[in-house]
Amino acid sequence: MRHEALLDYIENNKARLFDLLCGCIRIPTENDGTWGNETPFAQHLQALFARAGVESTLYCPADMPEAVNHPDYHHGRNLAGRTNITAYIPGTEGGHSLMLAAHLDTVPVGDGSLWTVPPLEGLLRDGRIYGRGACDDKYSLAVMVFLAEA
């Protein structure tokens, strides 16, 4: 896709990007350091990538000996439900590859009564999107799906 065509696509389809992000926020992925629940979100992303024609693989770091045997691995950390996803779009014409990376988890919501909007609603209001993970890091993941669709 040419540079100008991509910019036109982005401008004309911003509502789709916002919908993707709000949908991502609605899937809880809180991580407190000893547990997480990224699997449903990873499965959601896999379905979105599949609809865009992009192959992906789900995996859990606990199932990878090279991860759990690495010197920097935090032993005793529970990785159950901590599924990750890798999606791959091959380059064309022998060009360079590009890697985009983001994390699926968010910090805990905490006391929901302290939020001015429900933290997992994914609310678009007054030109802003509100919810846990809106900037860190579900926006990056929504952009990746959006670009795959483009």
Side-chain angles (χ1 to χ4, degrees), residues 44-63:
H44 174 72
L45 290 171
Q46 187 173 47
L48 291 172
F49 280 122
R51 276 186 244 146
V54 175
E55 290 184 38
S56 63
T57 303
L58 298 180
Y59 64 94
C60 182
D63 299 331

Side-chain angles (χ1 to χ4, degrees), residues 7-62:
L7 292 177
D8 287 342
Y9 178 86
I10 292 168
E11 185 61 33
N12 295 327
N13 294 281
K14 285 188 281 192
R16 172 64 181 151
L17 175 58
F18 300 157
D19 287 343
L20 283 167
L21 176 55
C22 289
C24 290
I25 291 168
R26 292 180 188 120
I27 302 171
T29 56
E30 295 173 277
N31 162 24
D32 83 344
T34 59
W35 59 268
N37 61 340
E38 293 93 336
T39 299
F41 185 41
Q43 293 167 335
H44 174 72
L45 290 171
Q46 187 173 47
L48 291 172
F49 280 122
R51 276 186 244 146
V54 175
E55 290 184 38
S56 63
T57 303
L58 298 180
Y59 64 94
C60 182

Side-chain angles (χ1 to χ4, degrees), residues 92-115:
T92 60
E93 302 174 18
H96 295 284
S97 297
L98 172 66
M99 179 179 160
L100 303 174
H103 58 88
L104 280 64
D105 66 320
T106 63
V107 297
V109 166
D111 183 352
S113 70
L114 299 176
W115 287 71

